[in-house]
Amino acid sequence: RADLALYAAKNKGRDNLALFEPHLDQAARERRAIESDLREAVANDEMRLQYQPIIELETGQTTGYEALLRWYHPTRGVMAPGDFLQIAEESGLIVQLGEWVINRALQETSGWEGDFRVAINLSTTQVMDAKLVSAVSQALRATDFPPERVELEITEHVLMDSSDASENTLLALRKLGVRIALDDFGTGYSSLAYLRRFPFDRIKIDRAFVKDACGEIGSQAIISTITRLAEAMNMETTAEGIEDREQLDLLRKLGVKEAQGFLICKPMLAEALANDDRDISGDASDPRLDKAVID
Ligand code: C2E
Ligand code: MG
Ligand code: MG
Ligand code: MG
């Protein structure tokens, strides 16, 4: 097969680097297959949202849920965004899919009890789409969801890749009354610069810092500095990816306001979350939190 590939490559007048082409072909075919399935996925009812609770570290109370997209693919199984989001972005399918996410998240959670936010992720292509603002506003109207309880999460890439248009879109979203969070903070090239460009309501401290926080004085210093910076700029903070008790205690000590992570609760479908007997809304020092790790 390698010979054949080389022969084909020579015929095309390329050098023998084309020996790797069979693999590239394989990857390209896979990509096309996923893209083609993705076109039908919403219509085929294969998309779901899982919700991950976010707690206030001081009280242990659930203050919000982040909606995370899952694709229940008929043959490939449950796929996480890492498996298909880039394809959705590059093909433009993310716009339609993103609208589905916004509507579904607001519909699904609008009946839930309590005073909580719903966090929804947006990617670059979505924020560059001029229709995003009207899509959000329509979803709010259709579900009667209080805008101030919706938080849209963007990453630094959104501001990095784009122009004033994206900034204007974010400002227009803000005018609707929704909140804007800066996700994965600290992983980009010029995180601090973005804080000056847009008045975010929240900074989500990336998992990378949390992961190393215990035992690494540098990560601790960064977390507490971000926290103080956020306070000075009137922004809230959430730390992502809390996986053990030590991290939870440390983050609380460092003054981080809110946290989410597998220790507290894994992302779950709405029905599973409703049936979950684990009461995570009590005291954060509740020993049952430890049980959450084992579950
Ligand atoms: P993100 O917004 O930073 O979401 C947090 C990710 O960390 C989620 O991965 C979540 O499952 C995972 N996570 C939560 N707690 C822990 C933990 O304790 N340890 C570890 N190792 N991971 C944890 P997921 O669901 O695979 O999503 C990955 C990314 O895909 C998200 O990162 C977000 O940027 C994007 N995404 C997810 N859903 C959507 C969506 O509906 N629309 C768009 N545009 N992007 C989405
Ligand atoms: Mg997020
Ligand atoms: Mg994140
Ligand atoms: Mg992330």
Side-chain angles (χ1 to χ4, degrees):
R1 283 165 93 212
D3 284 351
L4 264 180
L6 183 58
Y7 173 76
K10 272 190 176 145
N11 270 358
K12 281 191 226 153
R14 296 216 227 112
D15 61 32
N16 57 9
L17 276 176
L19 268 175
F20 292 104
E21 258 190 357
H23 305 282
L24 286 179
D25 272 1
Q26 176 64 36
R29 264 199 305 274
E30 180 85 351
R31 213 201 107 95
R32 272 198 298 273
I34 291 176
E35 184 183 323
S36 134
D37 289 353
L38 200 50
R39 280 180 202 286
E40 314 287 326
V42 167
N44 289 345
D45 194 29
E46 292 165 9
M47 291 295 175
R48 292 290 181 275
L49 292 177
Q50 291 189 340
Y51 297 91
Q52 187 177 37
I54 301 166
I55 64 163
E56 187 177 56
L57 279 166
E58 200 149 310
T59 60
Q61 279 192 354
T62 303
T63 51
Y65 297 90
E66 178 169 8
L68 295 160
L69 186 58
R70 298 291 179 264
W71 182 5
Y72 285 69
H73 190 282
T75 56
R76 294 173 195 268
V78 183
M79 293 165 80
D83 304 323
F84 63 87
L85 208 62
Q86 202 189 336
I87 297 173
E89 278 264 304
E90 287 165 9
S91 59
L93 290 167
I94 188 67
V95 171
Q96 182 216 358
L97 188 54
E99 277 181 25
W100 179 86
V101 170
I102 294 162
N103 282 292
R104 178 67 168 233
L106 299 191
Q107 277 161 15
E108 219 162 19
T109 60
S110 62
W112 296 4
E113 269 168 45
D115 187 22
F116 60 86
R117 306 186 302 276
V118 175
I120 299 170
N121 293 283
L122 299 178
S123 53
T124 312
T125 313
Q126 282 177 277
V127 181
M128 290 194 303
D129 179 45
K131 293 192 299 294
L132 176 67
V133 181
S134 63
V136 172
S137 126
Q138 264 174 38
L140 288 168
R141 256 183 288 129
T143 52
D144 219 3
F145 207 97
E148 67 278 8
R149 283 176 35 201
V150 176
E151 197 161 83
L152 302 174
E153 301 190 355
I154 63 156
T155 64
E156 294 166 13
H157 301 286
V158 169
L159 293 177
M160 192 167 69
D161 298 355
S162 58
S163 52
D164 293 347
S166 301
E167 260 173 84
N168 290 336
T169 301
L170 292 179
L171 286 170
L173 287 168
R174 253 293 196 61
K175 278 219 181 99
L176 294 178
V178 303
R179 300 154 53 99
I180 312 284
L182 185 52
D183 207 348
D184 301 347
F185 184 76
T187 54
Y189 287 110
S190 43
S191 307
L192 291 179
Y194 296 116
L195 294 184
R196 286 176 56 204
R197 273 180 62 186
F198 190 82
F200 292 97
D201 296 288
R202 175 181 309 276
I203 293 178
K204 297 192 77 172
I205 303 170
D206 194 72
R207 193 168 80 216
F209 301 111
V210 173
K211 192 170 159 283
D212 298 327
C214 300
E216 202 192 273
I217 206 77
S219 286
Q220 283 178 35
I222 289 170
I223 292 172
S224 66
T225 302
I226 294 173
T227 305
R228 259 174 284 160
L229 180 67
E231 242 164 57
M233 294 181 80
N234 216 1
M235 297 180 288
E236 307 277 346
T237 42
T238 303
E240 305 185 291
I242 287 74
E243 293 185 354
D244 62 50
R245 196 50 195 256
E246 221 185 329
Q247 293 167 340
L248 188 86
D249 293 338
L250 178 63
L251 290 165
R252 195 188 287 134
K253 210 181 77 190
L254 294 175
V256 178
K257 286 280 179 305
E258 300 191 354
Q260 74 187 100
F262 294 163
L263 172 74
I264 299 150
C265 191
K266 291 207 163 161
M268 292 200 272
L269 294 171
E271 52 267 33
L273 209 53
N275 294 331
D276 195 43
D277 57 358
R278 232 184 291 141
D279 180 14
I280 52 164
S281 63
D283 186 328
S285 63
D286 190 323
R288 278 175 297 183
L289 268 178
D290 293 329
K291 181 172 159 277
V293 197
I294 302 155
D295 277 353

